[in-house]
Amino acid sequence: MYFGVQELEQRKILFEVSIPPGEIEYLEDLRQISPIETQGSVELLGNTLGEIRVRGHLKVTMGALCDRCLEQAQIPLDSDFDLFYRPPQEAGHPAAEVELHEGEAEIAFYDGDGLQLNDILREYVILSMPMHKVCSEACLGICPVCGQNRNLKVCACEEKPVDDRWAALKSLIN
């Protein structure tokens, strides 16, 4: 679904779509398991020289490797979004370092004369993924000695004691 600036100048656009897995490409280690169910609105903000606001709700289940055991993990995302997009600052000039003012760090830029919904959703899903992806909070991970997945089989490996020179740093964590 494409939202053109010329159309947005006329009216606010409402959307409600379901995007099946495989239609949006993600990072190598990230895949879409369920359809993206999303609804919302897109509008051109007045007196902003082309700033577009996209708000709505997104629900999807994503799949990624568990950071602890390397098995597949399912990560449900169900949240509201409120995004702002601006046209490039000065058309025709190469990108240069500019000072960002308060609030501008959360504004993205669009090229051309509009926005593609799939691009917006792809970016939002990637940024919404948790830093540490785990299959479950109770995941035991992989044995650092033998490499066995501790969720599937208990191993009898002995872990080496921690070097005493680092004991003072361990107290900072607790």
Side-chain angles (χ1 to χ4, degrees):
M1 182 176 264
Y2 184 76
F3 306 112
V5 173
Q6 289 182 344
E7 186 178 0
L8 291 171
E9 287 175 342
Q10 305 299 317
R11 63 184 175 89
K12 179 180 186 176
I13 300 173
L14 302 177
F15 62 89
E16 184 170 346
V17 295
S18 177
I19 301 171
E23 197 169 304
I24 299 175
E25 287 188 36
Y26 296 96
L27 305 171
E28 284 181 25
D29 60 339
L30 187 63
R31 63 185 179 84
Q32 183 180 328
I33 295 174
S34 71
I36 294 177
E37 302 294 337
T38 185
Q39 59 193 20
S41 64
V42 181
E43 63 184 314
L44 186 66
L45 299 178
N47 302 321
T48 61
L49 301 174
E51 190 170 310
I52 298 173
R53 183 178 193 178
V54 182
R55 343 182 213 193
H57 184 83
L58 172 136
K59 184 175 183 176
V60 67
T61 300
M62 300 299 293
L65 293 179
C66 175
D67 290 337
R68 293 182 190 164
C69 69
L70 300 178
E71 295 293 325
Q72 279 296 318
Q74 290 190 6
I75 298 111
L77 300 176
D78 189 358
S79 66
D80 293 324
F81 56 88
D82 192 0
L83 309 170
F84 294 89
Y85 293 87
R86 267 193 196 153
Q89 295 284 341
E90 295 180 29
H93 290 13
E97 285 190 31
V98 294
E99 180 181 350
L100 291 178
H101 302 288
E102 188 175 332
E104 285 187 319
E106 296 187 16
I107 295 177
F109 295 92
Y110 66 91
D111 289 326
D113 58 353
L115 290 166
Q116 190 70 254
L117 180 61
N118 285 8
D119 295 339
I120 295 167
L121 298 176
R122 177 186 185 275
E123 178 183 12
Y124 184 75
V125 166
I126 291 171
L127 293 174
S128 297
M129 292 297 292
M131 282 297 270
H132 299 288
K133 298 173 270 310
V134 292
C135 56
S136 76
E137 290 301 318
C139 179
L140 300 173
I142 293 177
C143 174
V145 177
C146 70
Q148 173 69 40
N149 183 343
R150 292 177 173 170
N151 297 316
L152 302 176
K153 183 179 177 186
V154 178
C155 62
C157 297
E158 290 186 33
E159 293 186 38
K160 296 178 183 175
V162 177
D163 189 340
D164 287 340
R165 294 177 290 180
W166 299 104
L169 291 176
K170 188 173 182 176
S171 67
L172 294 175
I173 295 172
N174 299 333

